[in-house]
Amino acid sequence: MSRAATETALINGPDGPIELIIDTPEHVRGIALVCHPHPLFHGANTNKVAHTLARVFRDLGYAALRPNFRGVGKSVGEHDNGIAETEDMLAVISWAQSRWGGLPLALGGFSFGAYVQTRVAARLAEGVTPAGRIVLVGTAAGQVTGARSYTTLPVAKDSLIIHGERDETVALANVLEWAEPQELPVVVVAGADHFFHGKLHIIRSIIDRAWSPLQ
């Protein structure tokens, strides 16, 4: 019988508490940070895509941490367009490493959360614990709905990029334009909108096919 568990926590961030949902497998073999969509457009760590990513990571043997960005739930602070959010996410990783040690690290993000994770990955690449696996879904890149624009950073060539064919928030063309100079493959889910309504199981199957459980 599986002893996987879900808990909530409040940890200290740079500007105050950060609220987390933590999905922990029976045997923790890695640490995964999962970031939710835009907090000013009702994004939270309970988002279904973020939840799906966390559960996939958990089933792969990672302790999956889903923070609420600043200003959401019990997380303190004001939205900062990804700048302060990056520092917050690095603090979450440090906390996780103090709990579980120097295990393999993975990053997952959806929409604005994917954009933030490109910034987190760049910072980690400068240190001694780069992310070993990255999966980005519905990545915010270029001009998106709501008069927002993102200069999304490049990621490692083995990153897994998933996007909906009919994404009405971030046009597929935006992500292809971002990926092309990186020679980065993009997995396109036919018929999927931005929130992958009715398609969440496909996200899971794509990741399962790409990554075997940690050994």
Side-chain angles (χ1 to χ4, degrees), residues 139-155:
T139 307
Q143 191 77 23
V144 307
T145 60
R148 291 170 288 145
S149 183
Y150 296 93
T151 302
T152 307
L153 297 182
V155 292

Side-chain angles (χ1 to χ4, degrees), residues 2 7 67 69 75 81 90 92 116 124 126 135 137 147 153 155 165 167 177 192:
S2 173
E7 62 182 298
F69 284 131
S75 292
N81 298 302
L90 292 169
V92 172
V116 171
L124 292 173
E126 299 171 356
V135 55
V137 180
L153 297 182
V155 292
E165 176 197 12
D167 192 319
E177 183 178 352

Side-chain angles (χ1 to χ4, degrees), residues 41-205:
F41 295 84
H42 309 294
N45 61 4
T46 53
N47 169 267
K48 290 183 179 180
V49 176
H51 177 269
T52 298
L53 290 174
R55 291 302 172 89
V56 174
F57 275 126
R58 181 201 65 188
D59 294 346
L60 289 171
Y62 292 84
L65 293 86
R66 276 180 282 159
N68 265 333
F69 284 131
R70 48 182 51 217
V72 180
K74 297 179 181 177
S75 292
V76 170
E78 295 183 359
H79 178 66
D80 194 36
N81 298 302
I83 298 172
E85 286 84 356
T86 299
E87 303 303 324
D88 292 344
M89 296 306 100
L90 292 169
V92 172
I93 291 171
S94 294
W95 178 86
Q97 290 173 330
S98 72
R99 177 169 173 174
W100 287 289
L103 295 175
L105 181 62
L107 304 177
F110 170 48
S111 195
F112 172 77
Y115 163 75
V116 171
Q117 290 287 41
T118 68
R119 295 173 52 86
V120 171
R123 290 284 295 277
L124 292 173
E126 299 171 356
V128 296
T129 57
R133 287 174 169 173
I134 299 172
V135 55
L136 305 178
V137 180
T139 307
Q143 191 77 23
V144 307
T145 60
R148 291 170 288 145
S149 183
Y150 296 93
T151 302
T152 307
L153 297 182
V155 292
K157 291 187 180 300
D158 60 352
S159 299
L160 188 55
I161 312 300
I162 304 171
H163 209 81
E165 176 197 12
R166 299 178 182 171
D167 192 319
E168 71 289 355
T169 300
V170 183
L172 174 59
N174 289 22
V175 172
L176 294 176
E177 183 178 352
W178 166 73
E180 182 178 0
Q182 303 179 63
E183 299 184 342
L184 190 65
V186 176
V187 181
V188 179
V189 178
D193 61 13
H194 185 63
F195 291 97
F196 286 80
H197 292 302
K199 308 287 187 182
L200 294 173
H201 64 287
I202 301 178
I203 294 176
R204 171 179 282 276
S205 67

